[in-house]
Amino acid sequence: MQWPKRSSTGNGLRESEKRWAVTLASIGDAVIATDTGGRITFLNKVAELLTGWSMADAAGKPVQEVFRIVNEHTKRL
């Protein structure tokens, strides 16, 4: 696949972000993305179903609030 050349106006970055968003949204597993502070920046549809949160409601929330990971052996958070 040949990627389009980046433009100096920032359009290339926007196009790249769109491609990543489409790719992440189409993955059949749950995808949760966060910023460096652990706040939700993206949920795909599978993650929305798994967590019970919509992307709109989860955006900016701490990942621990949206997705609680339980240890399978200890059953503790």
Side-chain angles (χ1 to χ4, degrees):
M1 172 181 231
Q2 185 176 9
W3 295 102
K5 292 181 182 178
R6 286 189 187 187
S7 76
S8 60
T9 63
N11 288 335
L13 180 58
R14 280 190 287 282
E15 289 301 316
S16 177
E17 289 174 347
K18 286 180 189 177
R19 281 193 300 275
W20 282 109
V22 168
T23 300
L24 291 175
S26 67
I27 293 174
D29 294 321
V31 176
I32 301 173
T34 65
D35 62 15
T36 57
R39 292 176 295 275
I40 301 289
T41 59
F42 178 83
L43 294 178
N44 69 355
K45 292 293 180 190
V46 179
E48 288 181 329
L49 292 171
L50 178 70
T51 64
W53 289 72
S54 70
M55 176 56 216
D57 291 338
K61 299 258 191 291
V63 69
Q64 297 89 344
E65 184 177 334
V66 175
F67 184 62
R68 307 191 104 200
I69 300 172
V70 177
N71 182 298
E72 70 177 310
H73 301 292
T74 66
K75 306 298 183 215
R76 297 178 73 197
L77 294 178

